[in-house]
Amino acid sequence: MKWYLDFGHGGKDSGAVSYNKTKESDTVLKIGILIKNNLEKNNEKVITTREKDLYYSLDYRTYKANKENCDYFISLHMNSSTNKSAKGVEVWVYDEKSKVYNLAKNICTNLSKDINTPNRGVKISKNFSVLRKTKMPSILIEIDFISNSTVENSLKDDTYIKTIANSISNSLLAFVNKSIVDDSFSYCVCIGKFKDKDTDLY
């Protein structure tokens, strides 16, 4: 399977900026690289728009995905609102008939649970360029509201960032009947001779 991961904004376009100057472009890049690594550990092919803080147009993003003949297009964003209490995950698709409609629902459900944020559900739009101009099934994920001070503070925690990335990765991999590789285990090998077979090793 070949995934196109689109990390929103970048370079001169920072996207939404929080009260304490946390940039949407930096946040989704950090999360996106972790998702990329998770997919690649499962032998999935991944193409990205960017892996540094660089600007690329919307047309370039869809052009590159189409040229690479990717199977799925995943665009990562952080939401923002003048209502500073707004909070929650939502995922946008082109229409309800989209092949990735159920994937969008699963991402909302899983991410809402994993980072304890409201599930705002799947939303439909034919106006988003990355949904309209891609030849492959596409989704746009609004992870949470960077304008919310609680969310902004959480984004400073690397464990929280990893939880977001793992949640999205798990949903993507489950969609293609795979599961995330857990490389957090360590192993201990004990070698030696013991006269008493009941000797405690630990």
Side-chain angles (χ1 to χ4, degrees), residues 109-198:
T109 299
N110 295 337
L111 192 54
S112 171
K113 178 182 177 182
D114 291 340
I115 62 172
N116 191 28
T117 198
N119 181 351
R120 297 169 62 91
V122 180
K123 301 181 183 299
I124 307 297
S125 176
K126 291 179 168 55
N127 295 324
F128 287 122
S129 175
V130 294
L131 301 181
R132 188 178 72 251
K133 295 185 177 181
T134 45
K135 295 178 181 178
M136 69 291 301
S138 306
I139 61 175
L140 187 151
I141 306 171
E142 295 279 10
I143 295 167
D144 210 334
F145 283 76
I146 202 170
S147 50
N148 183 298
S149 60
T150 301
V151 173
E152 180 189 10
N153 287 332
S154 296
L155 290 171
K156 298 174 184 177
D157 183 355
D158 287 341
T159 299
Y160 182 79
I161 291 289
K162 186 175 181 180
T163 298
I164 294 172
N166 285 351
S167 180
I168 295 173
S169 300
N170 273 319
S171 296
L172 297 179
L173 289 168
F175 184 67
V176 292
N177 300 312
K178 288 189 175 183
S179 58
I180 196 168
V181 171
D182 187 350
D183 58 0
S184 63
F185 295 107
S186 60
Y187 300 89
C188 178
V189 177
C190 297
I191 301 173
K193 290 183 177 180
F194 302 93
K195 291 183 179 179
D196 184 349
K197 66 181 179 65
D198 294 323

Side-chain angles (χ1 to χ4, degrees), residues 11-22:
K12 64 181 182 180
D13 175 16
S14 61
V17 180
S18 70
Y19 179 79
N20 289 316
K21 310 303 181 186
T22 302

